[in-house]
Amino acid sequence: MSVPNGPSALQQVVQLREREQERVGAVLAEQERTRQRFVTSISQLGDLMDQAGATGALSPTLAANLGAYKLSVLDLADRHRTALAQHESQMDQTRLALHEAFRRREAVAQLHERRLEEGERALHVAERKRTDDIAQTVWLRGRS
């Protein structure tokens, strides 16, 4: 990527990088909310299993129905765990993208800061030269 030379152009690039970082951060925050919903759902499914009780003292028909219910809940919980694992993998990728966005923003911000400092130094050098020229002119006039 070619980096613009002017301070205002660099400032715009810094702002773009900040927006990119904020966007990726917002995606990660939404992913965290989704992850939390998965965790809550899995916990609630576990509670449903605990509340279902044992099948031993029931009639064969009720025991079969309860067994089927428990298998369905276990299957659903297992699918949620699988989806959660995939989602957490996506979150890891988003975290890496956020880190990369932060690194890019920092690099451009540091370049912008260096360019501003270079500009200030150039102004000071020019001001010092102008002051020296005036002083030399005054000194030469005083010798005449």
Side-chain angles (χ1 to χ4, degrees):
M1 175 180 99
S2 174
V3 178
N5 292 328
S8 66
L10 277 174
Q11 181 61 33
Q12 288 176 343
V13 174
V14 170
Q15 290 170 349
L16 287 172
R17 295 294 181 224
E18 285 173 354
R19 278 189 241 133
E20 175 189 17
Q21 184 180 347
E22 290 169 359
R23 182 189 56 77
V24 175
V27 168
L28 184 60
E30 180 58 35
Q31 286 178 333
E32 176 56 31
R33 287 188 291 275
T34 301
R35 187 194 72 78
Q36 192 56 47
R37 285 192 300 272
F38 271 122
V39 169
T40 300
S41 177
I42 291 168
S43 174
Q44 289 172 342
L45 289 170
D47 292 345
L48 285 175
M49 284 296 295
D50 293 343
Q51 292 171 4
T55 59
L58 301 174
S59 70
T61 304
L62 288 176
N65 284 343
L66 185 57
Y69 170 78
K70 285 184 174 184
L71 282 176
S72 295
V73 171
L74 284 173
D75 182 53
L76 184 57
D78 187 48
R79 284 186 278 149
H80 273 61
R81 282 187 202 93
T82 300
L84 176 60
Q86 291 172 344
H87 184 73
E88 287 175 338
S89 176
Q90 290 173 342
M91 286 181 72
D92 289 341
Q93 293 172 356
T94 303
R95 281 187 194 97
L96 290 174
L98 181 61
H99 176 71
E100 187 63 23
F102 174 78
R103 190 194 62 72
R104 284 192 303 267
R105 184 195 61 79
E106 276 299 306
V108 174
Q110 288 174 2
L111 177 62
H112 179 252
E113 187 64 32
R114 278 195 306 269
R115 295 279 168 85
L116 289 176
E117 289 171 0
E118 289 170 2
E120 279 185 34
R121 272 194 300 274
L123 286 175
H124 288 333
V125 166
E127 179 64 23
R128 198 169 36 243
K129 182 178 179 345
R130 189 179 71 77
T131 304
D132 289 348
D133 288 345
I134 291 171
Q136 182 181 19
T137 302
V138 169
W139 183 77
L140 287 174
R141 284 186 187 163
R143 287 188 65 200
S144 305

